[in-house]
Amino acid sequence: MNHDRYDDGYVAEILKTVKTVAVLGASPNPVRPSYGVIGFLLSKGYHVIPVNPGQAGKKIQGQTVYAALSEVPEAVDMVDVFRSPEFMDEIMDDVLTLSTKPKVVWTQLGVRDDEAAARAEAAGIKVVQDRCPAIEYPRLLGHH
């Protein structure tokens, strides 16, 4: 799939159908984008699971933090990545070894790795790269 642009319907469908979102690189710092996006997703009714090894066992926006995707005790629909692009390959390794794979891997603004994306797509996982759900949701589903 070409990740230079996305059909609005493709992105809207993802935002409408996913329920549980794991946020990789979740930060407890209110000035970090991940913190704000977690709050946004919670406000829209998503179940959000922060993942950050340095914060494991603590809470971010009231949600318990896990050290790794593999330690999250439930299946997640979407993995939202707030990590630098150089980590995408290893993140995709983690995603692809999960017993229940997410339906979607979403990477935040500035995060893009087309090879990692192709690996996910080969496994039947949808990918959105270099986008922010807190921007796309109001743009596409603002009336909801």
Side-chain angles (χ1 to χ4, degrees):
M1 177 172 179
N2 181 334
H3 291 275
D4 292 334
R5 65 170 302 280
Y6 297 100
D7 183 73
D8 282 350
Y10 172 79
V11 177
E13 184 65 18
I14 287 171
L15 291 169
K16 279 193 273 197
T17 55
V18 302
K19 301 278 179 267
T20 302
V21 181
V23 177
L24 290 193
S27 172
N29 182 340
V31 305
R32 302 292 299 161
S34 65
Y35 187 91
V37 169
I38 290 169
F40 177 84
L41 292 171
L42 288 169
S43 78
K44 296 299 178 189
Y46 293 95
H47 175 42
V48 183
I49 302 168
V51 178
N52 180 334
Q55 298 290 322
K58 297 178 185 169
K59 293 201 181 241
I60 295 176
Q61 299 267 40
Q63 312 306 301
T64 300
V65 184
Y66 291 88
L69 265 183
S70 58
E71 294 183 17
V72 173
E74 58 193 286
V76 301
D77 299 319
M78 182 167 99
V79 175
D80 188 5
V81 181
F82 284 88
R83 301 283 313 277
S84 305
E86 63 265 26
F87 295 109
M88 279 308 297
D89 210 40
E90 133 196 5
I91 287 166
M92 210 51 81
D93 289 345
D94 292 348
V95 166
L96 294 173
T97 54
L98 293 173
S99 51
T100 306
K101 293 181 189 31
K103 300 179 182 75
V104 183
V105 171
W106 182 302
T107 70
Q108 280 301 134
L109 296 169
V111 182
R112 180 169 171 168
D113 179 336
D114 286 359
E115 281 181 33
R119 289 172 58 205
E121 289 165 342
I125 299 170
K126 292 178 179 170
V127 178
V128 176
Q129 297 192 96
D130 191 22
R131 294 285 186 280
C132 178
I135 294 171
E136 299 300 316
Y137 188 104
R139 186 175 77 81
L140 298 168
L141 307 175
H143 54 284
H144 289 278

